[in-house]
Amino acid sequence: MLCLMSGRSHSSMTRLMFLAAAVFLLSAAASASQGDKEPVYRDCVKQCVRTNCTGARLRGFQSSQPPYMALTGWTCRDDCRYQCMWTTVGLYQAEGYSVPQFHGKWPFARFLCFEEPASALASLLNGLACLLMLLRYRSTVPRQSPMYHTITAFSLISLNAWFWSTVFHTRDTYLTEKMDYFCASAVILYSIYLCCVRTLGLRRPAISSMVGALLILAFTSHVSYLTFVSFDYGYNMAANATIGMINLLWWLCWCWLNRRILPYWWKCGMVVLLLHGLALLELLDFPPLFWVLDAHAVWHLSTVPVHFLFYSFLIDDSLHLLNTEKPGVKLD
């Protein structure tokens, strides 16, 4: 369960088009940034690499580099880019210009080996909240509950995504970026499967099996395109937004239909509305406060409490299903 929204279909489509346009503009900024196009920045990096990243100076850099920096893959060239980024930011501010982005990202003050400290911490907290609530779910809900294994699998996929999100915000590399994006897509697609199983698959297992196969095919195609054809930020974000909107509308319809049957239905509706509402924080896209806290970090921090409400719903619903799974009793 990840995405949601309420309202009529026309309103939903209008918001979807707005979100798709917004993520396209954000992704366009990621492919080329003002800061790294500046001659002063490029000349600074070239001069720094030429002076410090060869021969004895390189050996000196490597011998004095803290172990945690070496283990996370920080190179002499990376350090030059970091130092020259702040030189360029200083020149921009001295001339009264707004802070530019570099390589699709705002400038962040590095803490130890953490490239984006606030986002890394927020991802870690989300992962810990997910793990804590998964343990509570497994200790509260018997394995015989119809949704037990599906929810456990969803939680493990979510934990994997938060792990890679933490790694990516700690150190942005080709591998960590891909894993962060792909694992996030896996969560969004599996949330559709979770919704399908809960709303249709318990009475019609063949439907959930067919949807599961289609989602696996969609995920494989999505990853293959991004890996072997083009790592298109706009396409990736628009695809995730579209799947999320389907998930949103599906869950809200289920909540509305069961509002008089299930006393805890509001928890589900609140979770999906919160998740989609909070995602709009990403659109603020302001320079990081104190060079640490940006809109992306605020978004991730804001989702930490949602895990507790989400799993409260899952526990209530799983126990309800366990109690109603009797001959002649209709599953909701």
Side-chain angles (χ1 to χ4, degrees), residues 56-313:
R57 285 182 176 267
L58 175 59
R59 290 190 293 272
F61 169 83
Q62 293 171 337
S63 63
S64 62
Q65 187 181 35
Y68 56 81
M69 294 292 284
L71 287 173
T72 48
W74 283 94
T75 65
C76 181
R77 182 179 183 83
D78 293 329
D79 203 60
C80 283
R81 290 173 62 174
Y82 179 75
Q83 300 299 334
C84 291
M85 175 184 73
W86 289 114
T87 299
T88 307
V89 169
L91 292 174
Y92 263 71
Q93 291 183 315
E95 295 295 328
Y97 295 111
S98 58
V99 176
Q101 290 190 346
F102 295 80
H103 305 285
K105 302 168 68 172
W106 293 110
F108 291 93
R110 190 172 62 195
F111 175 70
L112 300 178
C113 60
F114 295 93
E115 226 173 318
E116 299 177 44
S119 290
L121 175 62
S123 296
L124 177 62
L125 291 176
N126 274 281
L128 290 176
C130 183
L131 176 61
L132 175 64
M133 295 311 294
L134 170 60
L135 295 176
R136 181 177 298 180
Y137 177 87
R138 289 171 65 90
S139 65
T140 305
V141 178
R143 296 174 64 88
Q144 293 76 22
S145 179
M147 290 294 294
Y148 182 91
H149 297 291
T150 304
I151 291 172
T152 298
F154 173 77
S155 300
L156 294 176
I157 292 172
S158 298
L159 281 171
N160 178 63
W162 286 120
F163 168 79
W164 282 108
S165 178
T166 304
V167 172
F168 170 64
H169 292 303
T170 299
R171 185 72 178 97
D172 181 356
T173 67
Y174 177 84
L175 174 63
T176 60
E177 181 184 44
K178 299 296 183 294
M179 292 303 296
D180 177 50
Y181 277 70
F182 296 161
C183 292
S185 296
V187 173
I188 294 172
L189 287 170
Y190 196 90
S191 66
I192 288 284
Y193 180 71
L194 176 70
C195 180
C196 177
V197 172
R198 178 58 186 93
T199 58
L200 299 174
L202 295 179
R203 285 176 290 173
R204 303 178 181 87
I207 293 180
S208 59
S209 298
M210 180 179 65
V211 170
L214 290 174
L215 291 173
I216 291 174
L217 178 61
F219 179 72
T220 303
S221 301
H222 181 69
V223 171
S224 298
Y225 175 79
L226 292 175
T227 302
F228 302 112
V229 180
S230 172
F231 195 79
D232 188 329
Y233 292 92
Y235 155 73
N236 179 72
M237 298 177 79
N240 287 338
T242 302
I243 295 298
M245 193 59 63
I246 295 172
N247 196 24
L248 165 73
L249 297 174
W250 197 338
W251 274 114
L252 282 183
C253 288
W254 179 84
C255 289
W256 180 258
L257 293 173
N258 288 278
R259 68 191 186 282
R260 292 189 175 89
I261 303 172
L262 305 176
Y264 52 83
W265 69 271
W266 64 271
K267 296 181 181 180
C268 174
M270 183 66 71
V271 166
V272 291
L273 287 172
L274 278 174
L275 287 174
H276 285 70
L278 292 173
L280 296 177
L281 290 171
E282 184 84 312
L283 302 180
L284 297 177
D285 199 33
F286 53 83
L289 301 175
F290 309 108
W291 305 117
V292 172
L293 191 67
D294 70 329
H296 188 77
V298 171
W299 171 38
H300 277 339
L301 285 169
S302 67
T303 61
V304 175
V306 181
H307 291 277
F308 298 94
L309 182 60
F310 177 39
Y311 277 87
S312 176
F313 159 72

